[in-house]
Each structure stands twice: as structure tokens, then as C-alpha cells.
Amino acid sequence: MAGEQLQVLNALDVAKTQWYHFTAIIIAGMGFFTDAYDLFCISLVTKLLGRIYYHVDGAGNPGTLPPNVSAAVNGVAFCGTLAGQLFFGWLGDKLGRKKVYGMTLMLMVICSVASGLSFGHTPKSVMATLCFFRFWLGFGIGGDYPLSATIMSEYANKKTRGAFIAAVFAMQGFGILAGGIFAIILSSAFKTMFEAPPYEVDALRSTIPQADYVWRIILMVGALPAALTYYWRMKMPETARYTALVAKDAKQAASDMSKVMQMDIEAEPQKIEQMEKEKSRFGLFSKEFAKRHGLHLLGTTTTWFLLDIAFYSQNLFQKDIFSAIGWIPSAKSMNAIEEVYRIARAQTLIALCSTVPGYWFTVALIDKMGRFAIQLMGFFFMTVFMFALAIPYDHWTHRDNRIGFVIIYSLTFFFANFGPNATTFVVPAEIFPARLRSTCHGISAASGKLGAIVGAFGFLYLAQNKDKAKADAGYPAGIGVKNSLIVLGVINAFGFLFTFLVPESKGKSLEEMSGENEDKESPGEAEL
């Protein structure tokens, strides 16, 4: 009985790639598209918020958000995401993937619209309401991580499962791209309709009153793709693995998948009862879990944590790079809308050249090369390129060498996406038992978001100039960009080492990976 599998699960494992696979990718992927749009679009408008709400009369440069406000506006969504990943990950195993999936989407739609409606008479009250809604927006986004990955892995077949889960994640690239493109279109339209002089010519008139609509519209449009897929999410049946292995309803699982796959599948209630007698039902905090999956969970949490420190610290260097290669002139030489346009254009170019291609390389090759090889290779090249940026850093700061700097910088993030950024999302959805799968993915993802918070904010302070006088306004002295890059190189090297804790799941069924086909007497085999 140990190796025998339910017919409904076997049918899913060996199914040829069919239309329902693509609908599942689109339905789960649109959630990720929205996640990326919502999380990354704030960086397009933070400069504009500074100009509108923190303008100082007579100042030589436009207003900017004070460090604590900037950190709150940019970081509060990450905190919400971390909480959402843990909460909805756990709830997805308790109530079922489908029930919770609709909740997260509704939360994202409501909070996207609400964050664009942030109200108040003073800058403080506008920023406070914006932060409040961005936290709950992040909470909804957090739920999408474990649920999208788990649903896709449970619907997919053995042969192309990695590519399907990676394709859901790759929609993130399109979300970032869409945010940039929409901001370009909107700022161009406002620029044409309302002419304004640069800041250095006329400080007050450089920020038109209508600029307040620009950031609100950009934030609110994030609700559209999520709202459009709500109906389809609600029509999607619960995954067969949850219904059969967790809810123990063999008839329902067989009937759901018969409709989806358009074939007859026999319900096997007696086999579920038999499996139930033979299986050990260990919990997350049991010795049995620690023995079978403890190292796997350590591997998925540490690699995701280390990767996200490096991945989210990129935002620090982006503005320096854009200014350095002349994509973004100095703030005082532009009006407010022009600045939004330039920042959006630069981000879109980066997304097009390095972010999006990296994701799709992973989709194309993950089931040929395997997760382990791609993750090792990604961490290896990220380490190499970070050191290549750091050690001769003074060489890269000369005007003539800046293009070389941008190429190596882009390659670092190409190998993050064709590497651990995608694989850390895929693997936790494949290697844990069905009743703990969503929870364990949520824990791994939350660990990643903790890394993102360290990367985005820890390094914001660390990368400041060693000389307090040269540090950005309001920040203490740091260790400088060169030393920050060395630290990031070391972090990536640790990511390379911790990858060895993560098992390869290419071509194996989910039950084989999680040991759910083993019976009580053979826990040894389950560790493979």
C-alpha cells in the first residue's frame, strides 16, 4: 500500500499540458501581476509625494520625504506582506486554498483603491492613511504567495510543474513593467495638458495642483487586474490534493477533476480510509516533521531570506545608477510630472532588459536543468558580479566606465531572476505534505520578506557615505556603497551554501517528495 497513489492524483501527475493548465497560470498569475504592480509602483511616486507634501519655500531643491516617512511609505507594505504570508499560508491549509484565495483578492482590490483615496488636511495625516491602507494591501498580497504557488503545484503535472509555478511567479515581471508603462502614459498626458516650468525657474508653479491626482491614479489602477480575475478565481474548483488528502473527500475530488480534465475519474473513498489508517499525521511542530522536513524548511527559509536581502537592496543603487548614466537629470532641473516620467522610463527599461528575460529563462529551463542547478548557478553569478562591482568600485564611478557598471549590475539581477528569485518560490510548494504545504510556503516566503526589509532599509542606512556631511539629508553616516556591495557579495555566497539543504524535486510527484506515499513503518525513505 505504501507506494500506491489515488487515481485522481495520478491523473493530474501524468496529464498532458492542457487548456486548464493555462487558465490556472493566468488566474494565479494575475494575482502576482497585481502584487508586483502594487508593491513596486510606490517607488514611482515617492519623489512626487515629497514635492507635493514636503515643499519648503525658498529651498534650492524640491521637497523630499523625510527618512522616517520614506521608510514607512516604502516599507509598510512589506510588513503587511510578511504578516499576510504567515496568516493566509496557515489559513490555506485549514480552510482550503480556494476559500482563502478570494479573500486575499478582495483585500487587494479594496486597499488599492483606498490607498489612492488617502485623505487628510496635513501631510502627516495623508501619509498616515496611505501607510495604513498600504499595510492591509500588503497583507492581502502576502496571502497570494503561498496560495498561488500551492494551487499551481497541485494542479500541475509532474513533467512541467516547475515551469508552471515559475510562470505564475514570472507574471511579477509584467506587473513591474505595466506599472512603469502606465506611469509613462499618465505622466505624458498630464505633461501635455498642464505645462509647468522646472523647479529652478519657478519653485511653486513647477508642481501643478493636478499632480495630486497622478500618484492617486497610479496607485488605484492596481485594483483593476485583481478585480477582473475575481470571478474566475471563484469558479476554480478546490485542488484535488486538498480535497482528497486534507479534507478526505474522495468523491468531491474525483468529480471536480473529472470536470476540469474532461475525463472520467473513479472516486476511491475506501483507499483514502486505508491511507488514513496507515499514515502518520504529524504536525508542523512535531519531532517527525523535524526529522523528515526540518532541514528542508531551514533550506527554503534561509535561501529566500538571503536572496531577498540582495534582491531588494537593488533599489538603493538604482537612483544613483540612473543619475550616473544621465537617464534622470537633477531634480531641480525638472518639474514634478517630468520627474515621474523620467523615473518610470528608467524603471521600465531596467525591467525590460534584465528583470523580465531572467524570469522566462527560468520558465524555459527549470524542468530541464532542475531547481537545484538553477539556484546554485544564480547565487554563484550573483556573488561573482557583486564582487566585480564592489572591489574596483572607484573604477566604476568614473564617467567613462559607467556603462560597464550598468551592464554588470543588470547581469546581477538577470541571474537573480534566472536563479534563486524564481526557484525559492517554486521549491517550497513542492516538497512539503499537502496538509502543511501552504503553511510551509508561507513561512518560507515570510522569511524572504524579512530579508527584503533588511535589504531595503538596513542597507539604506548602511550604504550612506562614511562622512556624515556627505550622507543624504537626515541619515547618519554608513559604511559606504563599496563596503555595502562587499557585504551583499558575502550574503550571496552564504545563499550558495544553504542551497545544499534544499532537495531536487524535478520530475517527481508531490506525494513522492513529501513522503505522503510512505506508510508509518518506513519514515527512512521519506527523507530522500
Side-chain angles (χ1 to χ4, degrees), residues 16-82:
K16 287 194 165 60
T17 301
Q18 292 168 38
W19 185 242
Y20 75 86
H21 286 127
F22 293 107
T23 52
I25 289 173
I26 299 293
I27 294 166
M30 281 320 270
F32 256 83
F33 178 94
T34 311
D35 297 350
Y37 182 99
D38 288 334
L39 279 180
F40 289 89
C41 70
I42 195 75
S43 60
L44 299 168
V45 298
T46 41
K47 291 264 197 285
L48 180 61
L49 291 171
R51 284 187 186 237
I52 296 171
Y53 294 105
Y54 291 89
H55 170 74
V56 179
D57 283 331
N61 284 311
T64 55
L65 296 179
N68 57 341
V69 177
S70 175
V73 168
N74 285 301
V76 72
F78 286 150
C79 301
T81 307
L82 190 154

Side-chain angles (χ1 to χ4, degrees), residues 285-331:
F285 299 107
S286 63
K287 274 188 185 162
E288 185 71 7
F289 179 85
K291 193 163 112 187
R292 291 187 181 209
H293 299 293
L295 282 179
H296 298 165
L297 189 59
L298 181 67
T300 58
T301 48
T302 47
T303 49
W304 206 336
F305 174 74
L306 294 164
L307 162 85
D308 270 9
I309 294 178
F311 191 76
Y312 282 90
S313 65
Q314 64 173 310
N315 302 337
L316 304 176
F317 311 114
Q318 261 184 13
K319 63 176 192 300
D320 304 331
I321 287 166
F322 295 156
S323 306
I325 55 177
W327 281 356
I328 299 180
S330 67

Side-chain angles (χ1 to χ4, degrees), residues 162-179:
F164 287 162
I165 307 173
V168 168
F169 192 62
M171 294 295 277
Q172 222 181 19
F174 288 129
I176 298 169
L177 206 56

Side-chain angles (χ1 to χ4, degrees), residues 349-422:
L349 280 167
I350 286 276
L352 260 181
C353 300
S354 75
T355 314
V356 173
Y359 285 123
W360 292 100
F361 264 81
T362 305
V363 174
L365 297 171
I366 190 166
D367 288 309
K368 294 182 179 71
M369 289 171 65
R371 292 76 165 137
F372 184 73
I374 288 180
Q375 190 161 311
L376 268 189
M377 175 198 71
F379 270 129
F380 175 77
F381 282 114
M382 283 174 77
T383 309
V384 169
F385 290 130
M386 281 290 188
F387 283 133
L389 288 175
I391 294 162
Y393 182 71
D394 299 330
H395 163 84
W396 297 120
T397 51
H398 299 306
R399 199 165 194 91
D400 309 341
N401 307 324
R402 282 172 176 170
I403 295 299
F405 184 87
V406 172
I407 290 169
I408 294 184
Y409 173 84
S410 297
L411 279 170
T412 313
F413 291 99
F414 171 78
F415 279 108
N417 293 324
F418 177 35
N421 196 28

Side-chain angles (χ1 to χ4, degrees), residues 51 88 158 172 213 222 270 272 294 338 345 405 454 457:
R51 284 187 186 237
F88 287 118
K158 277 198 293 200
Q172 222 181 19
Y213 293 123
Q270 66 295 344
I272 284 193
E338 173 73 21
R345 195 179 67 173
F405 184 87
V454 172
F457 304 105

